[in-house]
Amino acid sequence: MPRWIRPFVVLLVALGAGALLMAPMVSMEPRDLPVAVVDLDEGIETAAGQVNAGRQVAAAVQENDGDGMIEWVSLSSQTELDAALADGDVYAALVIPADFTASQAAAQQGAGEVSALRLVINEGKNPMVTSQLSGSLAALAPGAEVPVQTEYYDEVPESLGMLASFLPMVFMILTYISSYATGIVIRATFPLASTGRGRTVLVQLGLAAAAAAVVGVAASWVLSTMAPAAGLPVGDSAVFLAISSFALMTLVIGSVNWLGTAGMVVPVAMLVLGMGTADLPYEFLPAFWQDFVHPWNPLRFLADGGRALLFQGAGWWNAATPGMVITAVVGAVLVGTSVLTRRGRVRETSPDLAGVAPSEHALSGSGGR
């Protein structure tokens, strides 16, 4: 490639990477956010038969999906709702109480008030989403005559403010940068050579494990100091981040072992493609990122684990941990199998020197002295 073309190639690559990095944010469109409707209303018996106002309210609410923003999920019990909230399956729920019809009938006779609907916001699932969703769901409530009482599941401390939306990204970026840089240093310090390659990869893996433990402890301490109100469990966070850091380091080391400098494109592509999946929930992502990036990208697992630890009371083993463990296994295999690559081995002897002893090489190179 002519030297004068190289700057333009670099520029085009940088612009392409920037476009990929920003594309999910620019084209995001909230859609199909799962929200539960839980009809617990037992109804009442009248002379005209069974009356159940809760069933009518549930049907009326589900007719409005907020222009495709909401996907209503029907649940039939509090137990089902508790499980859906704990598993992070829904962002919110509208609960119709068991005495809803009875309270309406009593209120019409001047005996008491209509029981309020419960709007449960699963704030810890994603503070950015639930803050937007609260107002939208309140607007979908079935009229001013029906009171709505809002409550929060995994409530995020109010003192965090906007920081709550950015903390998982800090969680991810801090771990990624430190792991990426450390992986590069380990690979540069202990490169593959023509001999002792098995020992070299064991050293690389051992150092990655030790460095990952340091990253886990240090990053957890930084995050807990930065946002003490979040109540981050430092011990559990350190273990989760150590696993994540080891996964990222081994991906870096293994990629460079196999591909040389070109292997750097693997962790860079992981960042360029994965930033959107880490920052935005699945329902906000364009179709390409939903189908081809979200299922595997380690940065998404890292950010989801951060939310679980920060806001959902989870421990080091949470919904995101299996994804990071699988990534760590892939990274370790990538490093271990790199002993098979020819990269770093001594090149074949050139034909004109074939059969010449090493001492003769030295003599010819020293002018025969």
Side-chain angles (χ1 to χ4, degrees):
M1 179 188 299
R3 186 172 298 177
W4 64 270
I5 294 181
R6 293 177 186 174
F8 295 99
V9 173
V10 172
L11 178 61
L12 288 175
V13 171
L15 289 173
L20 284 173
L21 189 67
M22 297 302 298
M25 291 78 161
V26 172
S27 57
M28 70 176 181
E29 182 183 358
R31 60 191 185 281
D32 297 330
L33 296 169
V35 177
V37 174
V38 189
D39 183 10
L40 304 179
D41 191 8
E42 297 174 352
I44 59 172
E45 291 289 341
T46 68
Q50 173 78 15
V51 175
N52 192 305
R55 193 175 304 144
Q56 298 172 5
V57 169
V61 166
Q62 293 178 80
E63 288 179 358
N64 189 346
D65 65 356
D67 295 326
M69 182 177 72
I70 296 172
E71 178 183 7
W72 295 105
V73 179
S74 294
L75 301 178
S76 58
S77 68
Q78 183 66 43
T79 301
E80 288 185 3
L81 175 59
D82 291 340
L85 290 170
D87 294 339
D89 293 336
V90 295
Y91 286 98
L94 187 66
V95 183
I96 303 169
D99 65 342
F100 184 67
T101 301
S103 67
Q104 278 197 335
Q108 290 173 357
Q109 298 174 5
E113 299 179 347
V114 176
S115 295
L117 305 180
R118 291 167 52 216
L119 178 58
V120 183
I121 304 295
N122 191 359
E123 196 170 27
K125 179 172 171 61
N126 193 305
M128 178 182 69
V129 176
T130 51
S131 64
Q132 298 177 11
L133 200 57
S134 299
S136 301
L137 289 174
L140 296 178
E145 71 279 1
V146 181
V148 178
Q149 180 180 355
T150 301
E151 57 188 70
Y152 295 92
Y153 184 87
D154 283 337
E155 186 172 6
V156 175
E158 189 175 349
S159 59
L160 288 177
M162 290 298 295
L163 182 60
S165 297
F166 298 109
L167 268 178
M169 284 298 292
V170 176
F171 199 91
M172 183 273 290
I173 292 173
L174 188 63
T175 306
Y176 173 86
I177 292 176
S178 56
S179 302
Y180 178 87
T182 305
I184 293 298
V185 171
I186 291 173
R187 173 54 177 76
T189 306
F190 296 93
L192 289 180
S194 59
T195 59
R197 295 162 73 86
R199 183 175 63 250
T200 299
V201 297
L202 287 176
V203 170
Q204 290 175 342
L205 289 171
L207 287 174
V214 174
V215 169
V217 172
S220 298
W221 178 80
V222 169
L223 288 162
S224 64
T225 303
M226 179 187 302
L232 179 71
V234 177
D236 284 310
S237 176
V239 175
F240 176 78
L241 287 179
I243 295 171
S244 303
S245 181
F246 179 78
L248 296 173
M249 283 187 205
T250 52
L251 285 177
V252 171
I253 296 168
S255 298
V256 177
N257 277 357
W258 272 99
L259 303 174
T261 304
M264 299 282 285
V265 74
V266 174
V268 171
M270 185 171 60
L271 175 66
V272 169
L273 291 172
M275 184 67 79
T277 63
D279 188 34
L280 301 174
Y282 175 84
E283 296 82 8
F284 280 50
L285 295 170
F288 173 81
W289 272 263
Q290 284 185 339
D291 296 336
F292 299 107
V293 180
H294 186 273
W296 62 265
N297 197 283
L299 300 190
R300 190 267 292 184
F301 300 134
L302 187 49
D304 284 352
R307 292 185 188 92
L309 285 158
L310 285 162
F311 307 132
Q312 297 169 12
W316 71 270
W317 188 265
N318 53 68
T321 309
M324 291 309 309
V325 170
I326 292 172
T327 305
V329 171
V330 170
V333 169
L334 197 62
V335 174
T337 57
S338 64
V339 297
L340 303 176
T341 182
R342 292 186 60 81
R343 183 167 299 279
R345 295 185 187 275
V346 175
R347 295 181 178 177
E348 296 294 335
T349 307
S350 57
D352 58 317
L353 294 179
V356 181
S359 58
E360 293 174 317
H361 289 196
L363 288 172
S364 63
S366 60
R369 288 180 296 174

